[in-house]
Amino acid sequence: GEDCADQCAKGCHELFLGDGMCDDECNVAACNYDNGDCAKSACSLGCTRFMIGDGRCHDDCLTVDCNWDGGDCHCGQGCPATLVGDGSCDRACDVEECGYDGGDC
């Protein structure tokens, strides 16, 4: 079997680290929160670095800290999420689906 001394936490195998999935047994500081796969080292709870900019919109990544899911989400035609609430009125975002540009307009 695997030498427990080589594990950063009990039950956390080296192959689990940084594999794109958050493994509970590796979600500790000693394992760098699963090498970035888990929330504590991710930009938002439920959003891992592998989800950002992957071409799919993830609600968990739709935050400032996650750079608005790397531009994967659009609330309205011609309005990327990065423009919403940025302090500047963007007419394409000034629609109900975009919260009226996050109050910018």
Side-chain angles (χ1 to χ4, degrees), residues 77-89:
Q77 188 169 5
C79 179
T82 53
L83 296 179
V84 177
D86 65 354
S88 176
C89 180

Side-chain angles (χ1 to χ4, degrees), residues 20-31:
M21 295 180 61
C22 179
D23 301 287
D24 289 339
E25 53 277 335
C26 303
N27 190 15
V28 297
C31 298

Side-chain angles (χ1 to χ4, degrees), residues 43 52-53 61-73 81-82:
C43 52
I52 298 170
C61 301
L62 199 53
T63 67
V64 171
D65 290 340
C66 295
N67 193 27
W68 303 108
D69 200 11
D72 290 339
C73 301
T82 53

Side-chain angles (χ1 to χ4, degrees), residues 7-59:
Q7 295 179 0
C8 53
K10 183 178 179 185
C12 179
H13 302 280
E14 188 177 345
L15 293 175
F16 294 173
L17 298 171
D19 66 353
M21 295 180 61
C22 179
D23 301 287
D24 289 339
E25 53 277 335
C26 303
N27 190 15
V28 297
C31 298
N32 192 29
Y33 300 102
D34 201 2
N35 273 355
D37 291 341
C38 296
K40 292 223 188 271
S41 64
C43 52
S44 176
L45 184 64
C47 179
T48 67
R49 59 191 163 121
F50 300 100
M51 297 164 76
I52 298 170
D54 67 354
R56 294 181 47 214
C57 181
H58 303 279
D59 288 340

